[in-house]
Amino acid sequence: MSVTAGVRVRVPAKVNVQLAVGAARPDGFHDLANVFLAVGLYDEITVTPADELRITCTGPDAAQVPLDHTNLAARAALALAERHGIDPRVHIHIAKDIPVAGGMAGGSADGAGALLACDTLWSLGSSRDELLAICAELGSDVPFSLIGGAALGTGRGEQLTPLEVGGSFHWVFAVADGGLSTPTVFREFDRRTEGTPVPAPSADPALLDALRTGDATALAGALSNDLQPAALTLRPSLADTLTAGMTAGALASLVSGSGPTTAFLTKDPDAAAKVAQVLLASGTCRTTRVATSPARGATVVERAGA
């Protein structure tokens, strides 16, 4: 019996343990010092041959995911196909588990996952540098979704330097109702900093050292997000979530990326389970997720057919 050709790729969410933001550039982007850490919440992207390019999605909040060619997974397939003169007739199915519009790079993960899946399905054998170049064209967070682990992103976040991580870190993520638009949060950052000098962003040596040594307490003392004040201005209720998690025993809390998901670093799995339970009972978030970092980047987990 023949097996339908298909490729399934697993790709992780991320948390920004440092997000230092510079002033707006002439092109509208901001220079960043963005320390990414991949966490063990995953979307799975399955690509199979089809009569035309189409996208389907299942999982939490799947109804919020665009199923047209604005989806980064579709854009990834189109970009790769164009480079190689291929007709991108594939069905891309996204099994969603990363919070949607939550500041955890779920859309970027789908783009990176679809790119790797299509490259594998079409037997192109692209180098990592080739794939990363396409990722950078798709969006600032997409390259990190491909490589995972931990990395410092500079430029607008797409220029990556891998970082050493000396142990596991345990996280709780509190998922809010609704999303926050990343461009809107950056505009609020610009409004808040208008007329004041914005220093050039740089990575915090203490934070990099905490990652390298696997010291959760030291990492907790170094977490920072320059977009957090803007996110809290746009969604003041997130302050209650941050307070609830700290009261429950988290080592540190911060808004994840542009939000509205909030992240809580804990000392061990038991503490994470307690913080998640108390946060859920507090009524300050819609749901909670527990995850460990670092996690591998986009990875082929199944290949069927020839």
Side-chain angles (χ1 to χ4, degrees), residues 25-283:
R25 308 188 317 201
D27 63 3
F29 288 104
H30 297 70
D31 283 322
L32 305 176
N34 195 351
V35 181
F36 295 102
L37 193 57
V39 299
L41 298 175
Y42 301 93
D43 284 358
E44 290 197 343
I45 315 299
T46 302
V47 175
T48 52
D51 293 333
E52 61 181 0
L53 175 60
R54 64 188 181 96
I55 305 254
T56 55
C57 183
T58 55
D61 300 319
Q64 298 178 38
V65 176
L67 302 181
D68 58 15
H69 288 187
T70 65
N71 189 297
L72 278 169
R75 290 175 54 198
L78 289 164
L80 183 66
E82 184 178 2
R83 281 199 174 205
H84 294 272
I86 294 170
D87 188 354
R89 294 186 296 172
V90 289
H91 170 208
I92 302 173
H93 179 71
I94 302 169
K96 204 86 182 110
D97 196 39
I98 301 172
V100 176
M104 298 187 73
S108 297
D110 298 343
L115 184 67
L116 178 60
C118 287
D119 191 79
T120 305
L121 181 72
W122 297 333
S123 300
L124 297 176
S126 300
S127 69
R128 187 164 94 153
D129 285 346
E130 289 172 316
L131 294 178
L132 284 172
I134 298 174
C135 286
E137 295 169 6
L138 295 171
S140 300
D141 288 349
V142 183
F144 178 71
S145 296
L146 186 73
I147 72 166
L152 169 63
T154 54
R156 54 182 169 82
E158 85 285 10
Q159 300 168 20
L160 297 177
T161 303
L163 297 173
E164 183 182 351
V165 182
S168 294
F169 297 98
H170 304 279
W171 297 90
V172 178
F173 297 95
V175 182
D177 279 313
L180 268 179
S181 158
T182 298
T184 302
V185 176
F186 271 100
R187 282 195 295 271
E188 177 62 19
F189 171 85
D190 291 338
R191 187 193 69 79
R192 292 176 59 89
T193 57
E194 187 175 5
T196 61
V198 178
S202 61
D204 178 3
L207 181 133
L208 300 183
D209 189 60
L211 286 176
R212 187 168 51 250
T213 59
D215 187 333
T217 301
L219 182 62
L223 296 179
S224 65
N225 179 1
D226 287 353
L227 292 182
Q228 181 162 312
L232 290 174
T233 298
L234 295 167
R235 190 73 69 84
S237 60
L238 295 180
D240 294 334
T241 315
L242 294 171
T243 298
M246 292 301 293
T247 302
L251 296 175
S253 65
L254 81 167
V255 173
S256 180
S258 57
T261 298
T262 46
F264 302 87
L265 180 61
T266 64
K267 67 176 182 177
D268 55 36
D270 289 342
K274 179 191 172 188
V275 169
Q277 182 179 26
V278 172
L279 272 168
L280 195 57
S282 73

